[in-house]
Amino acid sequence: MLYAAVEVTWAAAGITVRWKEHSSYTPAVQLLLAALALLAGGACLASTRTLARTGRVVVATALVTALPVFVVGSTGLPIYFVTIATLSGVESATGLAQVLLNTAGAALLLLVGLSYRRRLRGDCPRCGRPHAGAVDGPLAYPGASRAPRRTRVAVYLLMCGLLPWAGAKSIWTLGGDALGVAGDDWQRTMSVGASGPSKAAASAGIDVTVLAAMVGIFLLLGLLYVWGQVFPRWTLFLSGRRVPRLLPLIPAWLTGIPLTVYGVFLIVMAPLVAVGVLPGIKPSPPFTTSSGITWMVEFGGLAFAGLGIGLVVAASSYAARTHPVCASATATMRPE
């Protein structure tokens, strides 16, 4: 209801809401999103009740239809995160609000859908295990463990997708030339409107977006290894305590899914541009050739998709390894 109210207000007041740099949501689209939000909200309420077959189909259809729309609408979240983290300023406050609304909607719908699926199977909607008794009792958590070797290898390979993108940006930041772009031109273009921290990092030969990617890698490693489940010694007074399960999972899901969608889009788009199926990308400073910027789009796609899919895979493993169950469902796990 809140989402729908915001969309209707923006549409009625004619407020511009950015979708991307040079595109905005139209009032018709905003009203359509409002209607979809109300439909999804009704499905969420209905999912807690005992329904006939037709009702179950309607609820499932509403959730399956609405979830991808909100996920796609949240794809700009990583970009806003980078601009905020680097103190570069927010280009569109309403655009950021729209992305946050879409992200919250996607997260809530995903949780409702998961609970609804468990309920239909006769499992506990809270822990997913079949058991008798209350579903609001104490939880039992499994011991800390690292991800299986196959998962770790897969994530490492996905992380390699960052190398061409990070390599090109590092070369430019250090003053070298790559893809037809001179390092001096890159630094001059990037310094326009850049924040103090961004300029300080560039002066040290570090591109701030590569630094943001390193934060993502840190999160990835935490999802794979034991220190992401139990605070390590260097965390001082937190050392030895259990890491709240949602602390790494929320940023991993909220960043990984949009990055995956955006990265796959770029990976597909660049070859289509190169073979002429899509119009060529007009180079803008510091790029001097269409081929150079097309290659950089492909490198960006590999980086974003690699990091995004890696986060999704690592988060899935982490979620499975740390999944708590109601204490009444098992006697083999340690109660909280």
Side-chain angles (χ1 to χ4, degrees):
M1 291 177 66
L2 174 62
Y3 186 102
V6 171
E7 296 296 334
V8 171
T9 301
W10 282 342
I15 296 176
T16 300
V17 180
R18 290 283 182 89
W19 161 249
K20 54 184 181 178
E21 186 176 0
H22 300 295
S23 301
S24 302
Y25 288 89
T26 64
V29 171
Q30 291 172 321
L31 294 176
L32 181 61
L33 288 173
L36 184 62
L38 292 177
L39 176 64
C44 290
L45 291 175
S47 69
T48 63
R49 303 186 178 186
T50 302
L51 303 172
R53 178 179 176 80
T54 301
R56 295 197 298 269
V57 171
V58 171
V59 168
T61 301
L63 294 176
V64 170
T65 301
L67 181 58
V69 174
F70 289 117
V71 169
V72 171
S74 68
T75 53
L77 185 64
I79 298 174
Y80 280 107
F81 170 77
V82 172
T83 58
I84 293 173
T86 58
L87 304 180
S88 300
V90 176
E91 182 180 352
S92 171
T94 53
L96 174 59
Q98 178 75 5
V99 168
L100 292 176
L101 284 170
N102 283 324
T103 302
L108 292 173
L109 284 175
L110 184 63
L111 291 174
V112 169
L114 179 61
S115 177
Y116 182 58
R117 182 170 177 267
R118 289 172 175 173
R119 190 176 291 108
L120 289 179
R121 293 187 309 183
D123 297 335
C124 172
R126 184 190 187 197
C127 72
R129 297 284 184 87
H131 65 82
V135 297
D136 56 354
L139 290 172
Y141 288 84
S145 63
R146 66 179 181 176
R149 183 175 182 275
R150 182 177 301 178
T151 300
R152 300 199 306 272
V153 171
V155 171
Y156 292 150
L157 291 176
L158 288 165
M159 286 168 58
C160 291
L162 287 162
L163 295 178
W165 171 82
K169 286 205 162 189
S170 298
I171 290 173
W172 293 329
T173 307
L174 293 171
D177 301 345
L179 300 178
V181 176
D184 292 340
D185 293 340
W186 171 264
Q187 295 174 14
R188 191 180 306 112
T189 302
M190 294 299 105
S191 64
V192 177
S195 64
S198 297
K199 292 180 179 179
S203 65
I206 302 173
D207 183 89
V208 70
T209 57
V210 174
L211 191 61
M214 296 298 293
V215 175
I217 292 175
F218 177 80
L219 176 58
L220 265 176
L221 295 177
L223 292 168
L224 294 177
Y225 292 98
V226 172
W227 59 267
Q229 299 172 47
V230 178
F231 285 107
R233 293 180 180 178
W234 50 265
T235 56
L236 302 179
F237 61 91
L238 291 175
S239 176
R241 296 176 179 269
R242 182 175 59 82
V243 176
R245 187 167 178 262
L246 294 180
L247 182 62
L249 281 178
I250 289 178
W253 288 122
L254 295 185
T255 305
I257 294 176
L259 275 178
T260 299
V261 175
Y262 185 54
V264 170
F265 171 77
L266 294 181
I267 289 175
V268 174
M269 183 185 75
L272 295 179
V273 170
V275 299
V277 174
L278 294 177
I281 304 174
K282 185 178 180 180
S284 57
F287 290 94
T288 57
T289 63
S290 179
S291 61
I293 195 171
T294 302
W295 273 111
M296 196 56 190
V297 167
E298 183 68 17
F299 289 169
L302 291 172
F304 301 148
L307 183 57
I309 298 173
L311 283 169
V312 171
V313 171
S316 299
S317 174
Y318 184 94
R321 297 185 341 262
T322 61
H323 181 63
V325 298
C326 295
S328 58
T330 176
T332 60
M333 291 186 176
R334 173 179 56 84
E336 185 181 23

